[in-house]
Amino acid sequence: MATPQREIPRTSPYSKPFYKWLDRLAPVGLALFMMAVFVDYSWWMIKSPQHLASWRTLIFFAIWIPTTLFYIIMAIKDIAQNWNGRWEFAGPKARNRLADTVGAQKAGMQQDFFRSVTGKRYDLTQNAFFRWLFHRRWYQFAVQLPNVIIFNIVIIAGLVGVVNPNRNFATVITWYVWFGVLFVLMIGVGRAWCLICPFSAQAEWVQRLGLFGKGKKLLTLGLKWPQKYSTLLISVFFFLGLTWAEEFYNVAGPGKPAFTSMLVAGIIMWDLFYALTFERRSFCHYGCPLNGVIGVVSAVAPFEGFRAKDRSLCKTCTTKECMRGSERSYGCGWYEYPGSMSSNFYCGLTGECFKGCPYENIGLSVHAPLKEAYQPKKKRFDLAFGVTLMMGALFFEILNATPQYAGFDTWLSHATGWNIAAKALDGQLSGYPMPLDYLGIIFLFPLLGWLVSLGASWISRKQIQARELFTRYCYGWIPLFGLGILARQLPKVLTNGPTIAQVISDPFGFGWNMFGTAHMHMHARAFAYHWILFVQLSFVLIGGVASLFVTQKISQLDFQGRPGSGAINIVMHSTIAILMVAMMAGYYYIALTNPGHPLVPPF
Amino acid sequence: MTSIAIVNHERCVGCELCTRACGVTHAISLNLDKNWVEISEDLCWSCGACEKMCPFSAIALPFWAEPNKELRDTIYAQTRKPKKARVAVQNFEQEEDEEDVMAGSRSH
C-alpha cells in the first residue's frame, strides 16, 4: 500500500448546502420513482382487457401492493432520519501516533503475506465525489432499488404473463439479459452484482428493518453459521444443483416463464430464511448458488474492492468499526476485514467499512486486471476445488449441445431407468440431463487437476505437496473459466437479447404498449447469428492467454526457486493450453452441428 | 477431548481482536504467514472471552465446553472498566468522575 495519498479534507462536504440537499433529495427521488412505477403498472393493469376480479389481476396486486407498501413505509422512516444528517460522517479522526511505530512494525512483519505487486493503481476515493457518494447511506440502496423492482416484475410476469417465453418479461430479462449482464459485471467490476443483487437486498431490508438507514435492532435470530460448513464448496454445489435443475426443467431453454418466476421467488424466500436465522449476509457466503461463480470470476476484474489504504493504522485500531459497525454503519456483512484483505473474492462493495472507518483509511482502487487471481498469498483449497468443479460444469454446458452427448444421455437414462423417475419429477421426457453423466463430466475436471498436481509433485521429488500445487495453480484456471462461461451465454444473450424492446413495453403479453416499442419487429434467434462463433472463440482465446499469464505469475510468486519449478511451470501451462483448445474446439463443433449455420459443412 | 477455543480458518481475518481479549493468559497469537490466529493449548483456560469479542464468529469454544465464567469475570475486572460505569450512557461522565475520585486517580 505504498501509493502516496492526497491529504483528505478535515471537514465533511455535508456542510455545503448543495451536498446537504442532494443527500436529502436523492432518497426522496428514489421513493418517488418507486411510486411512479407502482402507479404506472397499476394503471396499465386496470386499463388492460383483463377483468379486475380475474386471478391474474388478483395475483398481480397481491404481490405488488404489499411489497410496495413495505418499501414506502421503510423509505419514509429512513428519509425522515436522514433529513437532519443523522448518519453523517463528521470528518476523520486524528491518526493514531502508534501507527508509525508499533503499527508499521507489525505490518512489516507480515510483508510477505501482504506482498505488494508492482504496477499502477488509482484510488477512486481520492476523488471528492466518490468519497461523498460512498459515505451516503443510500449509496447501495440507490442501485438496488431499480433491480428489486425489475425482479418483482419478473416474479409477477412469470405467474400471470403469457406462456410464450419470448414475449414474457420474466424469461427475457432473466435469461437473455441478466445472465449476460451478470458475467460482464463480474469481469468488469467484480462483485458489482452482489452490490445490486435484488434477492439479498430484500432479505437485508427485512433483517435491518430499513431500506438504507442504520437502525439499532435487527430482525434476526443472529445464529452463527456452523464452523464445519464454512466453505465455498456449499455454494458451488448449490450452483451445480441449480444448473442441473435449470436443464432438467428447461427453465432457461427457454421453458415456461412460471419456472423462472418460481426460481426467483424461491431464491428470495431462501435468502429471507437465512437473513432471519443467521447473522449478517450468511446467505451470500454459504447459500447463494452464484457466490462461488461471482467470487471466482471477480478475480479477473480490475477492482480490488474496499480495502485499507494504510495497514499500519489498522494494526493499531482497537475499535474496528469496519467489522463491528458504528453509529452510522453496519459491520461488514461479508465477513471481511479491510485491514487484511488480499483479494476481492469476498468484497461485496457495500461500502459499510468505508462509512465506518473513523480514520478515513478505506480506499477503492482500480488496477490492472487479473491481479486478484495471482496476488493472494493465502490461496484456499476449497476455492481451487470449486474452480475445477465449475470448469467441469462449463464443459458440461458445451458438451450437452452435441448430438453425441444427447445420444449417450438418452441411452444411459433408459439403461438405468432414470427416464421413468424423470417423468415422475415432471422434468424433461428423455430424463436429460441424467445425474450420473452430469456429475461424471463435472468431476472429471477436479480429477484432471489433481492428477496433473500429482505428476507435478512427482517432478519435484515430493518436495512440493500435490495439495499445494493443486490449490495454487488452479487459481490460474479462473480467467479461462470466466471468459469461457461468458462465451457460453453469448448465443442466447446476443441472438435473443433485442427482444427486450418488445417485452419492456408489454411485460406480461397483455397487449400493453407502455413505451411505444411493443410493435417493434424483434424476433428471437434473429440477431448476431453468423458472427457469434467468432466472438465466442475470441473470448476463450483471451481467457486462455490470461490464464497462461496468471499461471506464469503464480509460478514466479509462489514456486520460484523450489525444486522442479521450471518443469512444473511447463506442465501447468500445457494443462491450461489443452483446456483452452478443448473449449475452442467445443464451441466450434457446436456451431458446426447447428443446422443453418454458415460454417456447417455441405452434407 | 480438548475444550480450548477453536479457530475457523476460513472465517478468521487476523484482526487480532481476540488476542486483545485474551489479555491475561496470552494464549492467542497471530500466525504471520497464514494471517489467522492460533491458540496455545497450554495457555488457554477456556474462558470464552475471545468468542465474545470476535465480530465474525471465527473463534468459538466447542459446544461441549462450559466457559470458565469466573476467570472471564476476573479478566474483565482487570482489563476493563467496572460494568457500572458503562450501563447508563446519560450518566456516563458523572459516574466516571465518581469512580476516578474513588480510585484516587485524580487530585482535586
Side-chain angles (χ1 to χ4, degrees):
Chain A
M1 309 307 282
T3 316
Q5 299 291 331
R6 268 186 241 163
E7 192 67 29
I8 293 166
R10 306 292 302 169
T11 54
S12 159
Y14 189 74
S15 54
K16 293 176 186 168
F18 173 74
Y19 284 111
K20 189 184 244 177
W21 280 99
L22 194 59
D23 187 25
R24 286 173 174 179
L25 294 180
V28 175
L30 288 166
L32 290 176
F33 167 71
M34 194 160 55
M35 281 299 294
V37 174
F38 174 78
V39 171
D40 192 32
Y41 267 79
S42 303
W43 167 249
W44 277 94
M45 197 70 195
I46 293 166
K47 216 176 73 168
S48 67
Q50 299 285 328
H51 194 272
L52 263 185
S54 71
W55 64 269
R56 290 176 195 275
T57 317
L58 290 176
I59 288 178
F60 173 83
F61 283 111
I63 298 174
W64 202 227
I65 292 175
T67 47
T68 310
L69 265 180
F70 171 77
Y71 303 151
I72 294 290
I73 292 167
M74 290 296 155
I76 289 170
K77 178 180 79 71
D78 288 345
I79 288 166
Q81 288 180 334
N82 188 50
W83 199 260
N84 57 2
R86 178 165 166 169
W87 302 297
E88 179 50 23
F89 182 58
K93 267 165 67 174
R95 184 183 166 84
N96 190 332
R97 284 180 198 166
L98 291 172
D100 297 324
T101 52
V102 179
Q105 192 189 2
K106 279 185 161 184
M109 284 160 70
Q110 281 191 285
Q111 210 165 18
D112 188 39
F113 182 81
F114 298 116
R115 56 193 178 197
S116 58
V117 179
T118 52
K120 287 184 179 176
R121 62 183 61 210
Y122 177 71
D123 183 2
L124 287 179
T125 61
Q126 300 269 10
N127 181 299
F129 170 74
F130 282 112
R131 212 163 50 243
W132 174 81
L133 180 70
F134 296 148
H135 271 307
R136 307 276 68 80
R137 282 235 44 99
W138 47 261
Y139 142 70
Q140 190 180 9
F141 168 68
V143 283
Q144 281 173 332
L145 182 69
N147 232 7
V148 166
I149 293 173
I150 288 171
F151 275 86
N152 277 355
I153 297 170
V154 162
I155 294 175
I156 297 170
L159 293 176
V160 307
V162 290
V163 183
N164 178 1
N166 294 321
R167 297 302 305 273
N168 193 306
F169 190 80
T171 306
V172 172
I173 279 285
T174 310
W175 304 110
Y176 300 164
V177 179
W178 171 64
F179 232 60
V181 171
L182 178 69
F183 288 100
V184 172
L185 280 176
M186 283 183 218
I187 292 168
V189 189
R191 281 197 183 266
W193 173 257
C194 301
L195 173 70
I196 63 177
C197 174
F199 316 130
S200 58
Q202 298 184 75
E204 200 170 59
W205 294 349
V206 175
Q207 189 191 49
R208 292 178 175 177
L209 289 174
L211 300 189
F212 62 90
K214 166 71 176 75
K216 286 183 181 166
K217 292 203 172 170
L218 298 172
L219 184 67
T220 173
L221 292 175
L223 299 183
K224 295 169 184 177
W225 184 260
Q227 278 204 4
K228 59 180 171 182
Y229 301 119
S230 299
T231 168
L232 182 85
L233 289 176
I234 291 180
S235 89
V236 174
F237 285 122
F238 280 144
F239 173 71
L240 299 182
L242 191 72
T243 307
W244 181 84
E246 184 257 300
E247 295 285 348
F248 186 66
Y249 289 106
N250 198 21
V251 180
K256 290 179 195 165
F259 282 144
T260 303
S261 179
M262 282 189 266
L263 183 75
V264 171
I267 292 178
I268 292 174
M269 298 310 288
W270 190 7
D271 195 341
L272 195 62
F273 164 73
Y274 268 68
L276 295 176
T277 313
F278 298 104
E279 56 177 354
R280 302 182 191 238
R281 283 191 173 218
S282 292
F283 174 81
C284 302
H285 243 248
Y286 306 113
C288 177
L290 290 173
N291 172 41
V293 184
I294 299 179
V296 161
V297 180
S298 295
V300 179
F303 281 79
E304 69 172 18
F306 284 101
R307 203 175 290 189
K309 294 181 204 168
D310 181 3
R311 286 205 171 92
S312 45
L313 186 54
C314 295
K315 286 283 178 192
T316 54
C317 175
T318 54
T319 45
K320 305 272 194 267
E321 283 90 344
C322 51
M323 301 163 71
R324 304 166 75 179
S326 66
E327 282 187 353
R328 62 180 175 279
S329 69
Y330 289 99
C332 179
W334 285 87
Y335 302 98
E336 273 290 2
Y337 170 47
S340 70
M341 260 174 74
S342 58
S343 73
N344 67 355
F345 289 151
Y346 279 124
C347 180
L349 301 171
T350 59
E352 293 291 349
C353 57
F354 188 85
K355 294 174 190 58
C357 182
Y359 303 103
E360 194 92 77
N361 189 33
I362 307 288
L364 177 62
S365 290
V366 184
H367 54 50
L370 303 173
K371 269 188 180 177
E372 304 295 321
Y374 60 81
Q375 193 173 339
K377 168 92 175 172
K378 183 179 172 180
K379 292 191 171 72
R380 289 170 37 186
F381 179 77
D382 61 342
L383 200 145
F385 186 47
V387 171
T388 55
L389 284 172
M390 289 187 288
M391 185 67 97
L394 172 58
F395 269 91
F396 167 80
E397 293 277 340
I398 296 169
L399 280 175
N400 72 359
T402 60
Q404 286 80 4
Y405 171 80
F408 174 72
D409 187 72
T410 311
W411 170 80
L412 195 64
S413 289
H414 280 89
T416 54
W418 168 250
N419 55 336
I420 300 163
K423 267 181 206 162
L425 290 168
D426 198 23
Q428 301 221 22
L429 288 177
S430 64
Y432 160 82
M434 162 71 196
L436 278 181
D437 66 52
Y438 174 71
L439 290 174
I441 291 168
I442 287 171
F443 276 91
L444 270 181
F445 287 80
L447 189 68
L448 169 75
W450 187 251
L451 288 177
V452 171
S453 303
L454 274 178
S457 176
W458 179 79
I459 290 170
S460 75
R461 299 183 183 206
K462 306 277 181 191
Q463 295 295 304
I464 310 175
Q465 296 290 316
R467 186 185 165 100
E468 186 186 354
L469 286 161
F470 179 85
T471 304
R472 295 193 176 276
Y473 273 113
C474 281
Y475 275 58
W477 293 25
I478 290 174
L480 180 61
F481 167 71
L483 273 293
I485 199 165
L486 175 62
R488 185 70 186 89
Q489 309 309 323
L490 280 179
K492 201 173 277 181
V493 171
L494 283 184
T495 56
N496 299 336
T499 49
I500 182 75
Q502 280 179 320
V503 297
I504 205 165
S505 279
D506 186 13
F508 307 143
F510 289 170
W512 302 359
N513 196 0
M514 296 171 84
F515 303 104
T517 55
H519 304 299
M520 285 176 80
H521 293 289
M522 298 287 183
H523 301 295
R525 303 187 185 278
F527 300 89
Y529 194 64
H530 301 308
W531 47 268
I532 193 84
L533 172 67
F534 303 106
V535 182
Q536 282 182 298
L537 294 181
S538 310
F539 275 17
V540 176
L541 189 66
I542 293 167
V545 172
S547 273
L548 291 172
F549 173 75
V550 171
T551 306
Q552 178 63 25
K553 281 284 183 185
I554 289 170
S555 293
Q556 280 176 7
L557 286 167
D558 295 339
F559 295 101
Q560 184 121 43
R562 295 176 74 176
S565 58
I568 291 172
N569 191 21
I570 293 168
V571 170
M572 295 302 175
H573 274 80
S574 309
T575 312
I576 297 282
I578 290 167
L579 286 174
M580 180 180 73
V581 172
M583 199 180 287
M584 289 174 81
Y587 284 130
Y588 188 71
Y589 186 69
I590 294 172
L592 288 186
T593 52
N594 198 349
H597 196 278
L599 290 175
V600 174
F603 51 78
Chain B
M1 208 163 356
T2 177
S3 62
I4 66 164
I6 301 166
V7 180
N8 179 350
H9 290 163
E10 193 267 344
R11 192 78 74 75
C12 181
V13 289
C15 69
E16 294 188 274
L17 281 174
C18 51
T19 58
R20 289 175 207 276
C22 190
V24 175
T25 60
H26 299 287
I28 306 175
S29 58
L30 181 70
N31 182 327
L32 299 175
D33 288 334
K34 309 281 187 188
N35 195 49
W36 61 50
V37 292
E38 285 169 354
I39 300 164
S40 161
E41 202 169 334
D42 298 332
L43 297 175
C44 179
W45 289 358
S46 310
C47 68
C50 51
E51 185 181 355
K52 286 224 158 203
M53 183 58 97
C54 182
F56 291 165
S57 325
I59 187 165
L61 288 175
F63 66 89
W64 61 82
E66 277 291 316
N68 189 340
K69 286 182 183 166
E70 285 175 18
L71 176 71
R72 192 170 69 198
D73 292 344
T74 314
I75 293 171
Y76 284 166
Q78 288 193 21
T79 56
R80 295 183 179 183
K81 287 179 180 176
K83 252 186 176 175
K84 203 175 71 176
R86 297 186 289 115
V87 173
V89 177
Q90 64 271 28
N91 297 327
F92 179 75
E93 286 182 15
Q94 189 189 343
E95 284 184 12
E96 197 176 43
D97 285 349
E98 284 168 12
E99 281 159 19
D100 286 345
V101 172
M102 283 167 72
S105 61
R106 192 183 293 177
S107 56
H108 287 278

